[in-house]
Every structure is written in C-alpha cells, then in structure tokens.
Amino acid sequence: MKLKYLIPIVLAVLTIQVSCSDDNNPTYLDEVRLSSSYVTLDLNGGSADITVKASDSWSINVDEIPSWLTVSPTSGSAGESRITFSAGKGEFGQVTEIHLSCAGKIQNINVQQGLIAPSDATCADVIAGPDGKQFRVKGKVTKITNVSPYGNWYLADETGEVYIYGTADADGKLRNDALKSLNIEVGDIVTIEGPKKTYNGTVELVDVTVISIEKSLLKIISENVTVEKKGGVIEVITTYKGSGAYPSIADDCKSWITYEGTSYKPGVPTLFEPNPADTAIVKFIVAANPSKARTGTINFSSNSYDAQSGKTMSTEMPFTFKQKGLSNPPTGTGTIDDPYNVTAALEVAKTGATDVYVKGVVSRAATLNTKYWSLTYYISADGNQDEELQVYSSKSFNGEQYTSKDDIQIGDVVLIKGNLKNYQGTLEFDQGSELITLNAQTSMDRVNIEGSYRHPFDIAAAMNYINDGGTENVFVKGIVSSIANNGEFGAQNGYGVFWISDDGTYYKDYSKDFEAYRVYWLGNKHWTEADDQIAVGDKVVLYGKLTKYKDTYETNQKEAYVFSVNGKIR
C-alpha cells in the first residue's frame, strides 16, 4: 500500500536550526548579541552587514566558510563590531551556516544567497555536488539517529547514502518532532528537499522539507536481541501489507543460522483500517558460537501489485542481532606488529614456539629473583586471573636486569618477546624472555610520570598539558559522553570521532568536554567490521598527541588511538 503526504513548500525562505531564534529578530545570548542571525545576499552578488556586541573576544570558524562567501573580520574583541558578508555572482541559490564563538558559547549565523531552487538528484549527485546547493532526492530511510526533536536520519538510494540533519514538520517548523508527526519510519521511501552541507567530512542535507512519503509494506516489530554463546531459537515478529514476509539469511550467516518455520496471524479489519497489516512470526535456530562475538543478518521482503499504476511495489528490510562469543578470542600472528594475545599464546605454548611476541595485561604481582634480577609474573588478555600465561624469570628492556618487583605492576600492558613452552603442564614464557614495551613505553624513564598509563591525565590535566605546550604522546582517561555525527568507528577510514568527560556527561562546554578526534582503534590499528564499536558510557584510555583547535581540546587527528576500552586491550 502506498501512502503519500504532500507537504507545503515555502519557496525563497529556508528555515534553518539556530541557537536562539526562529525568526529574523535580533538573537541574544548573555555573552554575545547579534543584530540578526540571518544574512541574505543577492544572487548577482553583493554584501550585507550585521552588528556584534560581545562580552569577550570572539571568532568565527573560518573552516566553515564556503568558497563562495567572504566574511570580514573573522575575529574581534569585546564591545561592538560590524561583520560584512560578501559574495560574487552565483550560479544557483545557496545557503550556509557559520558559527561564532564567544566565551565558550556558540551563536549560529545563517547566510543565504539568492532563491533556493531545488535540483532533482541522486544521493551520488548530492555527495559530488557543492555545499549550499538545494537538492531534491528520493530514497529509503535506512537508519534514524534522532527521533525527537530534530529528526536526524539516513537516506539511501542505489547510488549511495546521505545524512539528514534536521527535518521540518508539515508546517515547516524545525525541532518539532517531525518524524513522529509525519510518521516517518525505517523502510519508508521519502522524497525531501534541502541544502547540502559537509561537516567534519560527513555529507548532510540540512533542515529538509518532506515532499512525499511512500509507507513501507513491511515492519519488523521485534527488537534486536542478543543470543547466548551456546545458541538457541529466536523469533522475529513482522507485520506486512504485501503478499507476505519472506526471510532470506545473509550469505555469510547461512552456516550458523537455520530457518525453522513461520506462523501467521491475519489482521482484523475495522471501520478505520479496512486493510490492516497481517503478522508473521518467523523462527530461526542459531548455532553455538565457537569464536568471538558475531552479528547475524536476516533480510525480509514483502511485495504488492498496484493495479492503478500497473507496478509491483517491494519493501526490503534487514533484521540484525548479536551473538555472544569468547570474551577474548585468539588474535594475532606472533609478530611485533601483530602480537598474539594471551588466548592465542596459550594455544601456541602447548606445542612450543620460538621468538614470538605476546601482548597482555599483568594479572598478578611480580616476584623478584635477586640472583638473576629477573621477574616472574602472570599476564592475561584482560587482566583477570583466568587463562593466564606465566612469564617466567623474564628480563627488562634489551635483556637488562630488573631492579625492583614494582618495575612490573598489576594492570600494566606489556609486550614480550621470547619462547613459549609447556613446562610440566604450565604454559609459560621460558626463562630469558625480554620486555619490548611497558604501557607503550620502551624504557622505564616515563612509566610513572603524570600522563603515563599508570597516571593518565583527566580532562582538566589534559587541557593544562595542551595549554603548556606539551608535545609528547600521553594518556588521557575519560568516559564516552557523546558520539559525533557519523562519528562511530568505520571501516572506510578506520577511525572514529567521539567526546569524553570525567563523569560521562556531555556538557557542550569546551572547558569540560574533550574530543577524541579521528582516533584509531585498539592496538593503534584501523578499525574493521570484526571489531567492537564504541558506545556512550564506555570507559576509555586514549594515547597519543594532543592539540587545541579553535576552542576545542582534542587528540591530533590520526596521531592517537584507543589504548583500552572498559579495561580491554587488543
């Protein structure tokens, strides 16, 4: 069944999310006041001014200024200033959003040149098109990231996918729960209009107007589940208005997911809903998982013939679930660049191996042999006293002697080179193994200083270190407070973007929030689809170089990584 909503389009006026006001009146913060937060320029070129009254020095993020726009000045001191916005002749109507910072607060300024006439496009056209241009595009809702109040989601067609940041309701109002009032859901086919913006590498259509909605023939009612390691039976409940709900197990899951059967429950027609959805309950058997946690995908489809148009409509929708696996499955090949974890090392030690590298977390306090000045201690994959590997009579860096049992402490992350063996039932590093790194250090000099793994910086200390001009690799601890837009770890680039704070609160305050900007995954490796994902609430320790960009304290992009997450290392 097809359902369309025709939404009134207001031409020549584009309403954009602003920090203080939805009209053209002057907008006020305590720290900064603008004569207007909207600037309009003629398509043939021209300039316009606004007045800034600031309580402190202010600046505009120049990286956000598109090539078609000139802004002068881009910074100023406390008091009253005048900002001029200029543009040459444009080929099409375009719009952008500029951010002015003052005393830790952000004021948005929206600049529009000419009338905004949308261009029919595919997602690929949007991705390749210029920022500020208005596009009309049709595609499927694949994921919703914010239902209320903004309405942020992803739209995809056969050419690609774009992020929708902000959705207007039927009356053109923003931040007004448009996804709820318009009943937009995953699987719907939606036609929208909006201007393109590129933010931190993410292509967005901003504050879009909804032109039409074709409701999905199929809905998945069941929430995503987590299946135990031992396996079991799962039921997926779907409702459909097509000819049925047909499951198809993803190719890479067919070896461990088996279709069991389907039961149906017809919908009951009413005066208000003469064509109610039917329900299908589909059962699957999930096999036991002998390895690391994995994701299962089952695709459902439903079809319907539209006699009026003579076309067959189809809706496809995936159902995914997680299955638990080994807490620390074996990883690594035993080289310095790809060391064994302890789980893998224990397997290798059963038959013996020479000159291999193993990375682990110290799980028991070391004992010092004063005859050889060597240490014996235990390591595991996560620091717990389960599945431990004994490091017997081991030497320090470059085969040097240890001087104290406290040179190695519980919780330390060590990389060791040596020979693995099975000594009378004890799996161990044989005598004479060497320490390669200790908490990412290659000597004892910096192991106990502030900013080391044993004494990581909190947020305030990290900011002080940056302000003091620190340039060394250091450790920063915190709790993930927010994932940046499209900032989850992705396989394409291998890095992620997220915010941390001391207590896990996202303050939206540059003096309390720290940005993990384009950081790599555990072990300083590029993130892959097989790795876990970051989540709000995770306790992380970051390692690398730090910097300050404008007002943001952050890691240097691509020069830092997640050293541990919830105590786990790679």
Side-chain angles (χ1 to χ4, degrees):
M1 187 176 100
K2 180 183 290 185
L3 180 61
K4 281 194 174 184
Y5 296 83
L6 295 179
I7 311 301
I9 306 171
V10 182
L11 295 177
V13 178
L14 178 65
T15 306
I16 299 181
Q17 295 173 3
V18 297
S19 59
C20 304
S21 175
D22 291 329
D23 53 35
N24 289 313
N25 294 326
T27 61
Y28 300 132
L29 292 170
D30 291 339
E31 294 78 9
V32 60
R33 298 189 175 198
L34 305 181
S35 59
S36 176
S37 59
Y38 290 90
V39 176
T40 57
L41 302 173
D42 191 276
L43 185 61
N44 291 319
S47 62
D49 297 338
I50 65 171
T51 300
V52 178
K53 293 182 179 180
S55 64
D56 201 345
S57 59
W58 57 270
S59 64
I60 288 174
N61 187 346
V62 296
D63 291 335
E64 295 178 339
I65 301 175
S67 58
W68 58 268
L69 180 66
T70 300
V71 182
S72 180
T74 56
S75 62
S77 56
E80 183 171 314
S81 306
R82 182 175 296 274
I83 304 176
T84 300
F85 298 83
S86 305
K89 184 178 180 180
E91 296 180 4
F92 50 81
Q94 48 200 349
V95 66
T96 190
E97 185 178 77
I98 305 298
H99 295 100
L100 184 150
S101 303
C102 180
K105 296 299 177 71
I106 304 294
Q107 171 68 56
N108 297 348
I109 306 172
N110 302 290
V111 184
Q112 178 176 318
Q113 181 182 26
L115 298 179
I116 307 300
S119 172
D120 289 337
T122 64
C123 287
D125 293 333
V126 175
I127 294 169
D131 281 7
K133 185 174 181 179
Q134 189 89 348
F135 290 96
R136 175 182 287 197
V137 61
K138 180 179 181 179
K140 180 187 291 186
V141 181
T142 57
K143 181 181 179 182
I144 295 175
T145 59
N146 174 270
V147 174
S148 176
Y150 292 104
N152 301 341
W153 47 284
Y154 286 88
L155 178 142
D157 62 13
E158 64 277 3
T159 70
E161 184 177 64
V162 294
Y163 184 57
I164 311 303
Y165 186 75
T167 306
D169 67 9
D171 296 321
K173 294 182 179 179
L174 295 166
R175 304 186 303 281
N176 200 35
D177 296 343
L179 297 191
K180 290 183 179 179
S181 62
L182 298 177
N183 191 28
I184 295 177
E185 303 169 294
V186 171
D188 290 347
I189 304 298
V190 183
T191 301
I192 58 172
E193 288 182 1
K196 177 188 172 180
K197 177 180 179 180
T198 303
Y199 179 73
N200 282 344
T202 300
V203 173
E204 303 174 348
L205 290 178
V206 181
D207 298 338
V208 301
T209 298
V210 178
I211 306 304
S212 67
I213 305 169
E214 299 174 20
K215 293 301 295 179
S216 172
L217 296 172
L218 177 72
K219 293 182 181 179
I220 296 178
I221 306 302
S222 298
E223 296 182 356
N224 291 348
V225 298
T226 299
V227 179
E228 294 298 321
K229 179 179 177 295
K230 65 181 180 181
V233 177
I234 61 172
E235 291 185 347
V236 183
I237 302 175
T238 67
T239 60
Y240 60 95
K241 288 192 175 183
S243 60
Y246 304 106
S248 174
I249 300 170
D251 289 343
D252 59 350
C253 302
K254 288 181 178 178
S255 63
W256 55 280
I257 302 175
T258 306
Y259 171 72
E260 176 72 2
T262 303
S263 59
Y264 298 93
K265 181 179 179 181
V268 179
T270 67
L271 178 64
F272 301 101
E273 180 54 87
N275 181 30
D278 298 326
T279 299
I281 304 172
V282 191
K283 291 185 178 181
F284 302 89
I285 297 175
V286 180
N289 186 4
S291 186
K292 66 187 303 183
R294 57 190 177 185
T295 299
T297 301
I298 304 166
N299 297 303
F300 287 85
S301 63
S302 186
N303 303 303
S304 178
Y305 177 73
D306 185 357
Q308 185 175 8
S309 65
K311 296 181 179 180
T312 298
M313 296 181 295
S314 177
T315 295
E316 296 181 357
M317 191 168 296
F319 174 80
T320 61
F321 67 91
K322 299 286 187 181
Q323 184 180 20
K324 296 179 181 179
L326 296 175
S327 298
N328 297 288
T331 60
T333 56
T335 66
I336 190 169
D337 293 324
D338 187 30
Y340 290 129
N341 71 350
V342 173
T343 308
L346 289 170
E347 287 299 315
V348 174
K350 292 177 182 178
T351 55
T354 58
D355 291 331
V356 295
Y357 294 82
V358 179
K359 187 176 182 180
V361 182
V362 177
S363 53
R364 298 193 205 183
T367 58
L368 178 65
N369 184 324
T370 54
K371 179 178 179 182
Y372 299 104
W373 293 100
S374 62
L375 290 179
T376 297
Y377 53 96
Y378 289 82
I379 60 175
S380 67
D382 55 9
N384 294 320
Q385 293 182 7
D386 299 315
E387 297 185 306
E388 294 175 307
L389 176 72
Q390 181 175 243
V391 183
Y392 177 72
S393 193
S394 179
K395 293 294 186 178
S396 186
F397 297 108
N398 302 312
E400 297 174 357
Q401 295 179 338
Y402 283 105
T403 59
S404 168
K405 66 180 181 64
D406 293 327
D407 286 344
I408 299 294
Q409 299 179 13
I410 293 176
D412 282 342
V413 178
V414 294
L415 177 64
I416 303 167
K417 178 186 178 183
N419 302 329
L420 295 172
K421 63 183 291 188
N422 183 348
Y423 178 73
Q424 297 181 357
T426 299
L427 303 176
E428 65 179 21
F429 261 118
D430 198 4
Q431 180 177 357
S433 63
E434 293 183 9
L435 184 65
I436 304 301
T437 64
L438 172 60
N439 300 328
Q441 306 301 311
T442 56
S443 74
M444 291 291 180
D445 296 340
R446 298 176 56 83
V447 170
N448 289 302
I449 66 172
E450 293 299 314
S452 67
Y453 185 69
R454 290 178 180 173
H455 307 287
F457 288 139
D458 60 14
I459 303 303
M463 292 177 177
N464 288 336
Y465 180 78
I466 295 170
N467 291 335
D468 291 340
T471 60
E472 298 291 335
N473 290 328
V474 293
F475 291 89
V476 181
K477 67 177 180 179
I479 301 174
V480 178
S481 57
S482 178
I483 309 295
N485 289 335
N486 204 28
E488 291 185 335
F489 282 87
Q492 180 177 2
N493 297 310
Y495 55 67
V497 181
F498 54 91
W499 295 86
I500 64 174
S501 66
D502 288 327
D503 60 2
T505 300
Y506 184 44
Y507 291 96
K508 299 183 181 179
D509 183 337
Y510 292 127
S511 67
K512 297 180 181 179
D513 300 314
F514 186 90
E515 186 174 24
Y517 185 63
R518 295 185 178 181
V519 292
Y520 291 121
W521 191 234
L522 298 173
N524 202 18
K525 304 291 186 180
H526 283 218
W527 187 91
T528 69
E529 295 290 350
D531 293 321
D532 294 330
Q533 187 58 263
I534 203 74
V536 172
D538 283 343
K539 296 179 179 180
V540 298
V541 178
L542 309 175
Y543 179 63
K545 297 187 183 300
L546 312 183
T547 189
K548 185 178 182 183
Y549 179 74
K550 303 297 183 182
D551 295 321
T552 303
Y553 293 90
E554 61 186 24
T555 56
N556 258 7
Q557 64 170 322
K558 302 181 184 179
E559 292 191 277
Y561 64 98
V562 178
F563 192 84
S564 68
V565 53
N566 299 323
K568 179 181 178 181
I569 63 169
R570 191 180 186 116

